[in-house]
Each structure stands twice: as C-alpha cells, then as structure tokens.
Amino acid sequence: MNQKVTIKDIAKKLNVTPSTISRALSDHPSISTKTKDLVRKTAIELNYHPNRMASSLRRGKGHSIGVVLPKINSNFMSNCIFGIESVTYPSGYDLIICQSNESFEKEMNNIEALIASRVSGVLISLSRDTKNIDHLRNVLRRNVPLVMFDRIEESLNVDSAVNDDRTTSADAVVHLAKQGFKKIAILSGPTHTYVYKNRLMGYLDGLRLSNLEINENWIYSNVFSKDNAKKIVKDIFKKSLNKSRPDAFFCTGDKIALGVLQSVKELGLSIPDDIGVIGYANDPFSSIITPSLTTIEQFPKEIGISAAKIIINLIEQGKTFTSPNKKILIKPQLIVRETSSRVTNLDASLKSSPS
Amino acid sequence: MNQKVTIKDIAKKLNVTPSTISRALSDHPSISTKTKDLVRKTAIELNYHPNRMASSLRRGKGHSIGVVLPKINSNFMSNCIFGIESVTYPSGYDLIICQSNESFEKEMNNIEALIASRVSGVLISLSRDTKNIDHLRNVLRRNVPLVMFDRIEESLNVDSAVNDDRTTSADAVVHLAKQGFKKIAILSGPTHTYVYKNRLMGYLDGLRLSNLEINENWIYSNVFSKDNAKKIVKDIFKKSLNKSRPDAFFCTGDKIALGVLQSVKELGLSIPDDIGVIGYANDPFSSIITPSLTTIEQFPKEIGISAAKIIINLIEQGKTFTSPNKKILIKPQLIVRETSSRVTNLDASLKSSPS
DNA sequence: ATGAAAGCGCTAACAA
DNA sequence: TTGTTAGCGCTTTCAT
C-alpha cells in the first residue's frame, strides 16, 4: 500500500536520527553491529527500499551507464549488450539502453536523455546517419566518460572496442587464394563507414599478400541485403565474359553470402568447385545450411565486455578517456567450412595422393 | 569542463528567480513568451541540461521503465525489447534493462534495483528458476505497475502479453495430420512452465481434432538442445519397433527441430516423405536450410508492443493492474515449408487426382 | 507574470 | 558511537 517508507520512518521507530540509519544501511564502520542489525531488521520489517535517486542527487553521482546503439535486435548487438551487462551488473551499474534506429536525430535525443538522467558513462555504437559528432563532444565536455564500440568515429578522441576486421578479412582472402581461387570479388556494405572500410582494406591486403589481381570491377561496395547480392551475382554471370568473372566472393555479411549461394545454385554452378564464398558474422544459420558457410566469428560478447571494462575504469578514475587513447582490438576468427574448402582439410592432399 | 550548470545559474544570469526558470523551461502558461525565449536561449548558451533525478525526486515519480528478462541475446527476446522500446521511447520513458540469466536470485536483485531506482513500472519475463513470486507481489505492494510477458505466472493477478501457443500448436498438428502423418510425437521443453505447457496442450488438442492416437511414449517433455533432440531421435529408431515409431515430430523450438532433421538424415530417411518435422520460433535459419523448416512465427515485436502499451496505460492511470486482468494473446502463425509438405499446396490433391 | 520558501530522501561535514 | 545541520537541483504552493 505505502510506497513512502524512508529512513526517517526507520529512525522514528528506533528512536535514533536518520543519519544513523543512513550509516547503518551503508555499513559505516562507526556504527555498532548491534544497531546495524537492528536497523536492517527494521528496514525489512517496514518494507523499506532505498531511494537511489535521492542518494544519487545528494552524492552528485549516478549509478547507471547509458548505451546507445542503432538496433538492438540483431545477433551481433544483442550479444554485445550481453557482454556489457556481464561486466556492468557485478559492478553495480544499471544499464539504460537506447536505440537510435540508425537516425542521427534520435541518437542526439538519446544522448540528451542520458545526460539528463546523469548517467555515469555512455557506450555508443554510431548510427549509419551520424556524420556530425558534436553531440558526442558535448558528452565529454560535461565530463561524462564515453566509449565507442563497433561503429566508431576515429576522429573523436575517445577509447573504443572494435573488431580487427582488416587482418581477418585479409586472412579470409588469403585462405581463398590458398584454395585455388584467383579472381576474388568483394560484396561489401557502405565502404565509407569504419567497419566496411576496414574489411575492404583487408580484402585488398589479402589480394596483395597472395599476389592476386586487384580488379575494380570486382569491388561492390553498396550491398546491403540478400536480394541485392542475388541480383548482383546474376548480373555478373549474365553480362561478363568468362575471364572477367570472379570465381570467389568475399562477403561482408552472412546474409549477403547467402544471396550469393542462392544465385550460384540457380545458375547451376557448384560450390565450392566453381565458386568459393565467404561470409561475415557467423550467424547461427551459417553452420547449418548446405553447403555450410565459411565465415568470420566476431566475438560480439567480447567487444561488449571490453567496452564495458574501459568505461567502468574511466568512471572510477573520473576521466572521460584514456590518454593516449586506448583502442581494444578484438580479432575475429575465420571459420573455414564447406563453401570455401576445395581441400577438406590441411592434410587432405597428402592423404588422397596415394590413390 | 563544468557539469554543474543548474537553473540557479540561469536565474542569476537573468536576474530572476529559479522558479521562473523552472516554469519557463517547462512551458508554464503564466510565463511571458519573451521570458521563455530568453531562458531557453540562455540555457543553451550555458550548456544547461536538466537534472532528471532532482526533478523525479521532487515530483515523486520517475521516468523510466524496468525490464527484467532471462537473456537478452536471443532472437525472440531482442525483438521483444525492440517492440517495447518502440512504444516507451515516444512516451518519454527510459528503459532500464536487466538480465536474470535464468537465475531466481538475480531476478530478485534486479527487481530490488529497479524499485530502488524508482521505476514507474516493471515488465518481466520470468526466469526458468522462478517458482516463488513474492518478489513480484512486493512490486505491486509498492504500487508499481507490473506486466508480464512471454514467460508468465498465471497465479499472479496482473496483466500480461503472451503468445497463444495452444491454438497454433494445434494448428501445426492438424496440418501434419492433413499431410498424412499419423503418429505424431512432440519434443518439448520443460512442460511445467507456462509456455511449454500450452504447446503440449495444443499438441494434444490437435491430435484429438484429427482423431489421431495419443501415445504417451511419443511425448518428450524435457528436450532443451539440438544434441538432446538428435539423441532422442536416434534412440527411437534404434529401439522401437516399426509400428510404435512416430512418423512426425512437432518440436517446440527450431533448434530442436534442426536436431531432428540431422538425425533423420543420418538415419537415411527422407523428409518429408518418411518423416515430417515442425519447429517453433521461425528462427532466421529455418527458411534457409534444406529442406526448409515448417515452423511458427511468434511475432515477438508485437508481444513487446502490447506489454509496453499496457504498462504505460497503467502508469498513466496510477494503477498496478487492470481489473479484471487483461491478457493480450498474440496468435502465432504456422509457416508451412518443406519439412511438412507432402502436398505442395492446398489444391495439390485436386490437381494431381486426374492422373 | 514573478518571487519566496519549503521540501522530495538522502548523505556528509562537523559536533558532541 | 551518534546527533545536528545543511544542501544536492528541482518543483510547487502561496504570496505579491
């Protein structure tokens, strides 16, 4: 019935002052064990619950961490949050989660709301629309620590946790080369963004490392859906001459890769004999389809954990960023499966040679 | 640099009292437009951001809604949150999200923290471990509205939003029957929980509606993983005599169904000719695998939306639950794909009959 | 249309 | 070991 039990009520009941109750409840050393026990018992009896807002207001510091991200309902993001929560919860912080929905304006509103709620820190993965980052500078100006993850903006002087997309993308391409693919195309998301820019660079690195041809016609840099990818592949095989056609596709997403697989099947070509395919993200379906998809595990949970650890450190040190900036690189891992494996395993050539 | 700009500072600068600033900022009718404009301009100039904690404390009411759920990183749950957020954000509420991690104890802690943060309402999906619900009664006792979704406890007198699992499960079984399957087994999660109990009942309904045999040996009620399902299917075909073997499996999860598919393939049987399979959840992979999996779409986003709408109504009305209780049933939808389709479409029997 | 003053619930010097 | 007192930043009645 009554939601207004305060420390005053406990104080009255026990004939002591509110200060004593406050101290007892927060386990202050100068309070006798006896009093503490009594206070705690009475608190439960009266169904007392501390008012964190009052406490935060008085102490001038909050107890929650804000998270701003484009969309929560993806395998990647929900696992990032999972990782974040696994760090913040034991440290006693609440998570206030906001979706920017890929809108710059909503992202600004989110930030504004978090600042108004006096969060102790902000974790952010940028919306696709975000070019201007004044709202982020404003966070720092208010002395609120800020850490970026996944979709970051490098010009901002803060700590971050991201995948080391570049090296693993190179790994993927080198792997394709080793499997005998010579004309490797990339189907990528928007290459002006941090994430895809790196994957593209890794792709180019891989080609160079393998001494393979770099052909600008094989770089598709605005692929965003399965159907989009399907169409592109179809077009390639409709229009191009044989020699100018790619024989492998490095895709920056598993859905894109799936589109490629479907198109290639429909064209009557065989995977991986005719065409090799690699995806990105290790979506649950990738291990399940036939042929199973070679892809890249990003360890989103680890990204979340790293970002959360940084921000908690910053909060505790009262800093808004580490100097020099700390950038945690989580190395994704190439997971070789059937769509890229012309040789079953590393020893296959040896094993099969006697026959 | 300075994070402590308050209404006092604005007041000082403009030679008025804090009251005026407060009123101007909240658009109070009795403040002149001129003053309002001036105040707003100065607020921006000084980089003022309202302190919601102070405001909430003073007004005795918060501006956030707590969400407690077992695990955020599933397709189902992250989409529930997506739906919730789409309702709470426009209404001006923050979301504080907590994971119980399927632990009763953590669930209690989560609730405690939310109450301490003076959330305006709580949305909860119960942990698997939760048998005792005193912590929830306690929420109500404190006059905080509570709405359950997905994993609910019916003995608690509150509003809820859930799937109508029972009728759709019956639909699924009836569909199998129509496709000529006669010996339909169920592989289910723990049937003492709300969700799985309903799916089991729907399964039984479906069998009755189709005049099919109910065989207790075909009810597996503690299947929780793909591997678990694989083993069960293998065992069935190892041990049972032909006539006592199921010819179809209704699975309460897509992962379980996947295990069945794999085992059946390994046993050299054909799907759907020999064995029919239906999953649950419409996980992204279900449409992608071969053969594609017949499954059930749950519309998690809608569940989230419904739950959020209810709680916002309750908050606005100052009630903790609707009387009589409101229970929103979201009807899931059977999505027929290859693993259950002996006849390609509804008219197939007609079309093929002339031959 | 604006000001004065009290107080939301809690904490933390400073006193005793 | 406990009490006194002031105040975090804001809202709101009552007065002017």
Side-chain angles (χ1 to χ4, degrees):
Chain A
M1 204 65 187
N2 189 4
Q3 53 177 322
K4 317 207 156 237
V5 186
T6 76
I7 50 174
K8 275 188 184 171
D9 298 310
I10 308 181
K12 212 167 292 172
K13 175 138 190 178
L14 296 182
N15 270 328
V16 290
T17 55
S19 335
T20 307
I21 307 299
S22 172
R23 287 193 268 250
L25 254 19
S26 52
D27 210 32
H28 190 100
S30 76
I31 298 283
S32 72
T33 318
K34 203 175 165 185
T35 318
K36 279 182 190 168
D37 287 345
L38 192 58
V39 169
R40 283 196 266 259
K41 220 187 80 194
T42 318
I44 293 172
E45 217 174 283
L46 297 183
N47 196 27
Y48 166 80
H49 294 262
N51 185 331
R52 276 198 182 186
M53 288 183 325
S55 161
S56 297
L57 178 61
R58 175 63 234 253
R59 307 192 353 199
K61 52 191 304 229
H63 56 275
S64 38
I65 290 175
V67 183
V68 180
L69 37 72
K71 274 205 156 58
I72 197 184
N73 58 340
S74 76
N75 188 50
F76 182 85
M77 269 304 164
S78 62
N79 275 293
C80 282
I81 297 175
F82 187 78
I84 292 170
E85 209 264 359
S86 75
V87 174
T88 53
Y89 178 77
S91 304
Y93 288 95
D94 285 340
L95 274 191
I96 301 184
I97 296 180
C98 309
Q99 288 192 115
S100 66
N101 248 305
E102 304 286 8
S103 143
F104 173 57
E105 207 183 322
K106 199 173 167 198
E107 184 176 292
M108 285 200 305
N109 292 340
N110 289 153
I111 293 277
E112 192 61 33
L114 290 175
I115 288 184
S117 293
R118 295 296 186 272
V119 292
S120 305
V122 174
L123 294 169
I124 189 169
S125 180
L126 264 33
S127 94
R128 200 164 291 158
D129 278 6
T130 303
K131 321 271 157 156
N132 184 310
I133 51 171
D134 287 344
H135 57 311
L136 302 183
R137 297 191 204 285
N138 195 34
V139 172
L140 300 174
R141 203 171 304 130
R142 295 186 56 80
N143 257 314
V144 176
L146 177 69
V147 172
M148 313 181 93
F149 66 100
D150 191 46
R151 299 242 212 100
I152 71 175
E153 165 56 50
E154 292 195 286
S155 68
L156 190 69
N157 194 27
V158 297
D159 299 322
S160 56
V162 288
N163 273 144
D164 183 9
D165 283 320
R166 182 164 180 171
T167 64
T168 308
S169 296
D171 293 349
V173 171
V174 167
H175 160 73
L176 284 172
K178 282 193 181 151
Q179 296 289 318
F181 298 102
K182 302 285 181 206
K183 299 178 290 181
I184 305 173
I186 180 171
L187 299 193
S188 172
T191 46
H192 62 86
T193 62
Y194 178 81
V195 167
Y196 296 113
K197 192 167 58 192
N198 277 318
R199 295 180 192 179
L200 175 60
M201 291 196 299
Y203 159 80
L204 296 171
D205 291 346
L207 292 179
R208 281 185 214 105
L209 283 168
S210 315
N211 290 313
L212 288 181
E213 177 186 0
I214 294 182
N215 184 330
E216 291 205 350
N217 294 320
W218 297 342
I219 299 177
Y220 296 84
S221 57
N222 264 301
V223 194
F224 34 86
S225 72
K226 192 183 90 171
D227 291 336
N228 205 206
K230 283 188 79 160
K231 191 175 174 316
I232 289 173
V233 173
K234 288 251 167 96
D235 282 357
I236 289 174
F237 283 84
K238 202 176 295 170
K239 295 177 188 163
S240 322
L241 296 168
N242 217 326
K243 64 180 69 165
S244 66
R245 280 179 199 154
D247 62 359
F249 294 88
F250 171 54
C251 309
T252 60
D254 283 344
K255 293 259 168 64
I256 296 175
L258 186 66
V260 175
L261 293 184
Q262 294 182 345
S263 269
V264 169
K265 271 188 200 174
E266 288 168 24
L267 289 161
L269 296 168
S270 139
I271 294 172
D273 293 335
D274 301 321
I275 305 286
V277 181
I278 294 187
Y280 215 111
N282 196 21
D283 267 353
F285 73 78
S286 61
S287 61
I288 281 163
I289 55 177
T290 308
S292 61
L293 179 64
T294 294
T295 185
I296 288 167
E297 167 62 41
Q298 303 180 270
F299 304 107
K301 195 179 148 192
E302 302 305 319
I303 293 180
I305 288 175
S306 303
K309 279 185 180 165
I310 298 176
I311 204 144
I312 283 184
N313 267 329
L314 290 172
I315 292 171
E316 282 171 356
Q317 296 170 30
K319 296 179 178 174
T320 60
F321 56 86
T322 314
S323 177
N325 283 168
K326 195 189 286 181
K327 182 172 180 177
I328 306 281
L329 288 180
I330 303 289
K331 173 126 174 75
Q333 190 183 349
L334 178 67
I335 300 183
V336 176
R337 298 208 187 93
E338 294 167 2
T339 57
S340 69
S341 300
R342 281 171 164 170
V343 237
T344 312
N345 64 52
L346 294 172
D347 294 332
S349 51
L350 295 172
K351 283 180 187 162
S352 57
S353 52
S355 78
Chain B
M1 203 69 183
N2 189 4
Q3 54 177 323
K4 315 205 160 237
V5 186
T6 76
I7 50 175
K8 274 188 185 173
D9 299 309
I10 308 181
K12 212 167 290 172
K13 174 137 191 178
L14 296 182
N15 272 327
V16 291
T17 55
S19 330
T20 307
I21 308 299
S22 172
R23 287 193 266 248
L25 253 20
S26 52
D27 210 33
H28 189 101
S30 76
I31 298 283
S32 71
T33 319
K34 204 175 162 183
T35 320
K36 278 181 190 167
D37 288 345
L38 192 59
V39 169
R40 281 196 267 260
K41 220 188 79 192
T42 319
I44 293 172
E45 218 174 283
L46 297 182
N47 195 27
Y48 166 80
H49 294 261
N51 186 330
R52 275 198 183 186
M53 288 183 324
S55 160
S56 298
L57 177 60
R58 176 59 233 254
R59 309 194 352 201
K61 53 192 303 231
H63 54 274
S64 39
I65 291 175
V67 183
V68 181
L69 37 73
K71 273 205 156 60
I72 197 185
N73 59 337
S74 75
N75 187 49
F76 182 86
M77 269 304 164
S78 61
N79 275 295
C80 282
I81 297 174
F82 187 78
I84 292 171
E85 210 263 358
S86 75
V87 174
T88 53
Y89 178 76
S91 305
Y93 288 95
D94 285 342
L95 273 191
I96 301 183
I97 295 180
C98 309
Q99 288 192 113
S100 65
N101 249 306
E102 304 286 9
S103 143
F104 173 58
E105 207 183 322
K106 200 174 166 197
E107 184 175 291
M108 286 201 303
N109 292 340
N110 288 155
I111 292 278
E112 191 62 33
L114 290 176
I115 288 184
S117 293
R118 295 297 186 269
V119 292
S120 305
V122 173
L123 293 168
I124 188 169
S125 178
L126 265 32
S127 95
R128 198 163 292 157
D129 278 5
T130 303
K131 322 271 161 164
N132 184 313
I133 51 171
D134 287 344
H135 56 312
L136 303 184
R137 297 190 204 285
N138 195 34
V139 172
L140 300 174
R141 202 172 303 130
R142 294 185 57 79
N143 257 314
V144 176
L146 178 68
V147 172
M148 313 181 94
F149 66 99
D150 191 46
R151 299 241 211 102
I152 72 175
E153 166 56 49
E154 292 196 285
S155 68
L156 190 67
N157 194 27
V158 296
D159 299 322
S160 55
V162 289
N163 273 144
D164 182 10
D165 284 320
R166 183 164 179 172
T167 63
T168 308
S169 295
D171 292 349
V173 170
V174 167
H175 161 73
L176 283 172
K178 282 193 182 151
Q179 295 289 318
F181 298 102
K182 302 284 180 208
K183 298 178 292 181
I184 305 172
I186 180 171
L187 299 193
S188 172
T191 45
H192 62 87
T193 61
Y194 178 80
V195 167
Y196 296 113
K197 192 167 57 191
N198 277 318
R199 296 180 191 180
L200 175 59
M201 290 194 301
Y203 159 81
L204 296 171
D205 291 346
L207 292 179
R208 281 186 215 105
L209 283 168
S210 315
N211 290 313
L212 289 182
E213 177 185 1
I214 293 181
N215 184 330
E216 291 206 350
N217 293 321
W218 297 342
I219 299 177
Y220 296 83
S221 57
N222 264 301
V223 195
F224 35 84
S225 73
K226 190 183 90 170
D227 291 336
N228 205 205
K230 283 189 78 160
K231 192 176 173 313
I232 288 174
V233 172
K234 289 253 167 96
D235 282 357
I236 289 174
F237 284 83
K238 201 177 297 170
K239 294 178 189 161
S240 321
L241 296 168
N242 217 326
K243 64 180 68 167
S244 65
R245 280 179 199 157
D247 62 359
F249 294 88
F250 172 55
C251 308
T252 60
D254 283 345
K255 293 260 169 63
I256 295 175
L258 185 67
V260 174
L261 293 184
Q262 294 183 345
S263 268
V264 170
K265 273 188 200 174
E266 287 169 24
L267 288 162
L269 295 168
S270 140
I271 294 171
D273 293 335
D274 300 322
I275 304 287
V277 181
I278 293 186
Y280 214 113
N282 195 22
D283 266 352
F285 73 79
S286 61
S287 62
I288 281 163
I289 56 176
T290 308
S292 61
L293 178 63
T294 294
T295 185
I296 289 167
E297 167 62 42
Q298 303 179 270
F299 304 107
K301 195 180 149 191
E302 302 305 319
I303 293 181
I305 289 175
S306 304
K309 280 185 179 165
I310 298 177
I311 204 144
I312 283 184
N313 267 330
L314 290 173
I315 292 171
E316 282 171 357
Q317 295 170 29
K319 296 179 177 173
T320 59
F321 56 86
T322 314
S323 177
N325 284 168
K326 195 189 287 181
K327 183 171 179 178
I328 306 281
L329 288 180
I330 304 289
K331 173 125 174 79
Q333 190 183 349
L334 178 66
I335 298 182
V336 176
R337 298 207 189 94
E338 293 168 3
T339 57
S340 69
S341 300
R342 280 171 164 170
V343 238
T344 313
N345 64 52
L346 294 173
D347 294 331
S349 51
L350 296 172
K351 285 179 185 163
S352 57
S353 52
S355 77

